[in-house]
Amino acid sequence: MRTWTEVEKEFYTPEEIKQSDLRVGIISELIKARQEKGISQRELEQLSGVRQPIISRIEAGATSPQIDTLMKILEPLGKTLVIAPINN
């Protein structure tokens, strides 16, 4: 039986894999920040002005948020985006 990593390399380019990994990392950090604050998606909706169904779709990876939407969500979580060098 092959691993997901082996299968993934057959269907996706290295660039696509990096983009996917980055996206998963951002979503994971968003969920972690919300959970650390102890707030629900509904509460985050009230704090950020971004509707709960949109937050849910972002957290599920079903949609990619625009930067301004992401910033609205991150602000009440006490987070922001940072451009940093990639550690390879």
Side-chain angles (χ1 to χ4, degrees):
M1 182 181 286
R2 296 184 301 167
T3 66
W4 167 248
T5 302
E6 292 168 339
V7 173
E8 184 180 46
K9 288 179 182 177
E10 286 182 29
F11 293 100
Y12 300 102
T13 67
E15 293 79 20
E16 289 171 326
I17 294 169
K18 283 181 184 180
Q19 287 177 354
S20 177
D21 290 348
L22 179 58
R23 187 169 175 247
V24 168
I26 290 169
I27 292 169
S28 296
E29 287 299 316
L30 175 70
I31 294 168
K32 180 180 165 188
R34 181 178 61 75
Q35 291 173 341
E36 285 175 351
K37 288 279 189 177
I39 61 175
S40 67
Q41 290 179 351
R42 184 73 61 199
E43 291 169 316
L44 186 54
E45 172 186 39
Q46 294 170 348
L47 295 169
S48 68
V50 177
R51 301 205 46 215
Q52 183 274 330
I54 295 170
I55 294 169
S56 177
R57 286 194 298 269
I58 291 168
E59 288 189 1
T63 187
S64 294
Q66 293 184 355
I67 291 176
D68 61 334
T69 301
L70 191 55
M71 296 302 291
K72 287 178 187 177
I73 293 171
L74 289 173
E75 195 276 326
L77 298 175
K79 303 289 182 177
T80 191
L81 292 178
V82 175
I83 296 175
I86 296 174
N87 297 325
N88 290 328

